[in-house]
Amino acid sequence: MNRICVALIEDDDLTRVGIRTALQQREEIEVVGEAANATEGRQMLTRTCPDIAIIDIGLPDKDGIELTKEVKSSRKGIPGIKVLILTLWDNKESVLAAFAAGADSYCMKNIHFENLLGALRFTHNGDSWIDPAIARIVLQQAQQTSSKYKPNTENDFNPTKTYGPGKIDNIINAYTLTERELEVLHLIVEGCSNAVIAKKLYITVGTVKTHVRNILNKLCADDRTQAAVHALRSGLVG
C-alpha cells in the first residue's frame, strides 16, 4: 500500500503532537516531518517533499497563507505538493485568501479525526476538501463569480476555475440537502435498510425511497455506497 506522506506545521505544541500521534497510528499515513513555525516549516518541506502539508494559518513568524503561496509557487515552490489548511478561523477573508494562495483543502481545527483522515485521502486523490463549516463561503463566492467574475490578478480566487463547473454544481447540490434528507443520509451511512430507516423516522418505505433517490441525485452518486462515501469524505456526516 502506498502511504500518504504528510508534514505538519503547527505552532501549538498540544495540537501538533496530538495530530501527529493520531496520524502515526494509521498505516496509510507516514508523518515525514513537523515544525512549529513557517521558517522551519519551509526548510522541512523542502527537505522532505511530502505529498501533503498540513499548515496552520496562525503561525507566529509568517501566516500560513503566505507560506502556502510560497510552497505552491510555480517558480520557487515544491512541485506536486498539496496543502491542507488547518485553522480556527472561518471568516470569509481568510478562507478565500487561503484558496487564492493555492490551498487544496481547508479544515477547521475542531474537525473529527476520521474526517481529517477523509480530507487527507480526498486531497491526496487530487480533489479539494472543504470543511462544511466554511463550505457555504466558497459556494457563495462560486455563485457570485460563475457568470460575471473576471480575475484581476493570478492570486484572485475564482472557485469556478479552481474546481470546474461540474465540481461546483456537485458541491452546491451536496449542501442543499434538506434536514430530512440529512437524517436519511446519516442512517444510510450507518448501513440501515429502507425498512429500518422508515421505522426509525416514522415514515413509509415509499417516502424513504423518494428521499434516497433525491440524495443520490444531489450527491451525483450511483448508489447508496457512493452516497455514503461522499458524505463521509465531504464531512456531511461525521
Side-chain angles (χ1 to χ4, degrees):
M1 177 178 64
N2 292 327
R3 288 187 170 187
I4 303 174
C5 295
V6 175
L8 177 61
I9 304 174
E10 161 65 58
D11 66 314
D12 183 81
D13 292 340
L14 288 178
T15 301
R16 189 178 67 256
V17 171
I19 294 175
R20 183 239 297 157
T21 301
L23 290 176
Q24 288 176 332
Q25 306 304 310
R26 299 291 177 141
E27 291 186 1
E28 67 189 286
I29 304 292
E30 180 180 358
V31 180
V32 297
E34 62 179 272
N37 59 60
T39 302
E40 294 177 359
R42 181 70 174 87
Q43 296 171 351
M44 180 268 294
L45 292 179
T46 301
R47 184 175 65 255
T48 59
C49 295
D51 298 314
I52 303 174
I54 300 177
I55 300 178
D56 176 32
I57 279 187
L59 297 172
D61 52 341
K62 180 188 300 182
D63 67 53
I65 293 174
E66 284 300 313
L67 178 58
T68 297
K69 192 181 300 182
E70 286 182 12
V71 301
K72 298 288 281 190
S73 168
S74 59
R75 289 179 295 176
K76 298 182 179 180
I78 301 172
I81 192 172
K82 295 178 174 63
V83 173
L84 185 151
I85 290 289
L86 192 66
T87 183
L88 289 170
W89 303 348
D90 62 354
N91 62 76
K92 179 178 180 180
E93 290 74 19
S94 64
V95 172
L96 298 183
F99 283 111
D104 297 277
S105 296
Y106 196 107
C107 294
M108 302 298 293
K109 283 191 177 180
N110 62 357
I111 187 174
H112 292 295
F113 180 65
E114 290 299 323
N115 287 343
L116 177 59
L117 282 176
L120 288 171
R121 297 186 192 109
F122 212 59
T123 305
H124 185 250
N125 288 336
D127 292 305
S128 293
W129 197 96
I130 309 171
D131 196 301
I134 57 91
R136 293 191 182 279
I137 295 174
V138 177
L139 300 182
Q140 181 183 39
Q141 186 75 3
Q143 291 168 325
Q144 291 174 351
T145 63
S146 59
S147 60
K148 64 181 180 180
Y149 185 92
K150 293 183 179 179
N152 294 320
T153 73
E154 63 178 0
N155 291 324
D156 283 339
F157 176 54
N158 183 344
T160 304
K161 179 179 178 181
T162 302
Y163 300 110
K167 282 191 179 181
I168 284 295
D169 291 341
N170 289 350
I171 296 172
I172 291 173
N173 287 336
Y175 286 90
T176 57
L177 293 178
T178 66
E179 287 188 20
R180 178 63 86 185
E181 287 166 354
L182 283 172
E183 290 176 336
V184 173
L185 183 58
H186 273 272
L187 294 173
I188 288 175
V189 170
E190 291 177 3
C192 296
S193 67
N194 287 347
V196 172
I197 293 174
K199 185 176 180 179
K200 285 180 175 288
L201 298 182
Y202 302 100
I203 56 180
T204 68
V205 172
T207 301
V208 173
K209 289 180 179 179
T210 298
H211 287 314
V212 171
R213 184 168 60 250
N214 290 338
I215 290 167
L216 296 183
N217 287 336
K218 289 182 178 182
L219 299 185
C220 297
D222 294 329
D223 52 38
R224 296 162 70 100
T225 301
Q226 280 192 11
V229 170
H230 184 103
L232 291 169
R233 282 181 167 179
S234 66
L236 283 170
V237 174

